Amino acid sequence: MREITYAEAIKEAMIQEIRVNEDVFILGEDIGIYGGAFGVTNGMIEELGADKVISTPISEIAISGVAVGAALTGMRPILELQFSDFITCAMDQIVNQAAKIRYMNGGKGNVPLVIRTPGGSGAGFAAQHSQSLEAWLAHIPGLKVVQPSTPYDAKGLFKAALDDNNPVIFFEHKLLYNTKGEVPEESFSIPLGKAEIKREGSDVTIVATSIMVQRALQAAEQLAKEGISVEVIDPRTLVPLDIETIVESVKKTNRAVVVYEAVQRGGYGAEIASVINESEAFDYLDAPVTRLGGKAVPIPYNMNLEKKAVPQVDDIIKAVKSSLVPVTN
């Protein structure tokens, strides 16, 4: 199978859907001639036309409102927000409107909207352009939240998100855009709410999200050289969350480490840890569930400090080894 980048996989998914569904279009800042802040939409306006690839004014409030309105009238808009940090500018449209309109109208008005947005740190963009805000959105009833970690998942999950009749927040990590993987040329869909076992193991389960999936796999590779067998689970979607796959893995390994980039305090990893503790997997645990998240600081501009602010491979290795230490009363 051919290999393409994460960014190319998302672009291909968008082009394929726009071509077959006249209700689909994309709007956002600088997505036309400029090709988007990270080049994901590069060349799309020439290929599909300015009525399908709409460059907008620099106002997240305005373009989010337009996207919600378009969805309510039967369109299936794709909204690109240049950085996930800018979700904060559009919280009323997303949280108070998109997430609630269907419920408040007894199911009579759908909001089939996909909000694509790059999140996470590692690119030197500092505090206002490097946050991981997925826990905010996952907290809101009515929103679905997706975090693909591979090109294959990005394309398949995007198709599923666009087919959904609910608003979906589609977080794309900046550092993943240039990563490559095998992706079919034809359109395909990965169901929302279905996790994947990225690596099988027997000693400890790592549940990781987004860029942390790649780092968890690197950590697992190194730990294997020391005789430690790590299973890596990628939820792929936070809402809906595939609880069953996580629970069954923890029942097998008897230990769990949850790794995420966002600030550890109040992060989504706490939700996953609670799900494990409240499930039948609790009786199988040989150690408490370990959470490993980012430091409670704004992301620094300095690249060395930036790395210190979020989990790296060595941090994951230490967390796994700590979970393997026998618990004494």
Side-chain angles (χ1 to χ4, degrees), residues 81 107 123 127 149 168 185 187-188 220 304:
L81 294 180
S149 67
V168 180
E185 292 186 38
S187 177
F188 68 96
N304 291 323

Side-chain angles (χ1 to χ4, degrees), residues 123-248:
F125 291 141
Q128 295 177 335
H129 296 72
S130 305
Q131 298 172 85
S132 299
L133 302 178
E134 63 274 4
W136 280 26
L137 285 305
H139 182 72
I140 305 302
L143 298 178
K144 296 187 177 182
V145 181
V146 180
Q147 281 193 305
S149 67
T150 67
Y152 180 89
D153 291 346
K155 183 175 179 180
L157 290 169
F158 189 85
K159 163 69 172 168
L162 199 56
D163 287 343
D164 202 289
N165 283 328
N166 300 282
V168 180
I169 315 299
F170 199 88
F171 284 103
E172 304 160 7
H173 200 285
K174 304 177 186 75
L175 297 188
L176 293 175
Y177 278 134
N178 291 324
T179 60
K180 286 190 172 184
E182 294 185 344
V183 182
E185 292 186 38
E186 67 273 10
S187 177
F188 68 96
S189 181
I190 296 173
L192 303 184
K194 183 59 180 173
E196 184 178 31
I197 301 172
K198 296 294 189 183
R199 180 188 177 108
E200 293 193 354
S202 57
D203 294 330
V204 60
T205 295
I206 295 178
V207 183
T209 57
S210 191
I211 189 70
M212 292 301 155
V213 175
Q214 307 303 326
R215 293 179 188 170
L217 289 170
Q218 293 174 45
E221 190 69 28
Q222 294 187 37
L223 288 164
K225 297 174 182 177
E226 301 179 39
I228 300 172
S229 177
V230 176
E231 183 148 296
V232 178
I233 304 292
D234 179 2
R236 301 197 287 197
T237 64
L238 305 186
V239 182
L241 179 66
D242 182 355
I243 297 171
E244 182 180 356
T245 297
I246 295 170
V247 167
E248 290 304 312

Side-chain angles (χ1 to χ4, degrees), residues 270-319:
E271 173 67 16
I272 296 174
S274 294
V275 164
I276 295 170
N277 284 328
E278 293 168 0
S279 74
E280 58 183 309
F282 177 79
D283 293 328
Y284 291 77
L285 287 172
D286 290 336
V289 178
T290 299
R291 276 189 304 153
L292 177 61
K295 301 289 194 300
V297 297
I299 298 296
Y301 173 67
N302 179 282
M303 296 290 280
N304 291 323
L305 292 177
E306 184 179 33
K307 288 183 179 179
K308 294 289 186 181
V310 300
Q312 304 296 323
V313 174
D314 288 344
D315 299 315
I316 299 173
I317 290 172
K318 290 176 184 177

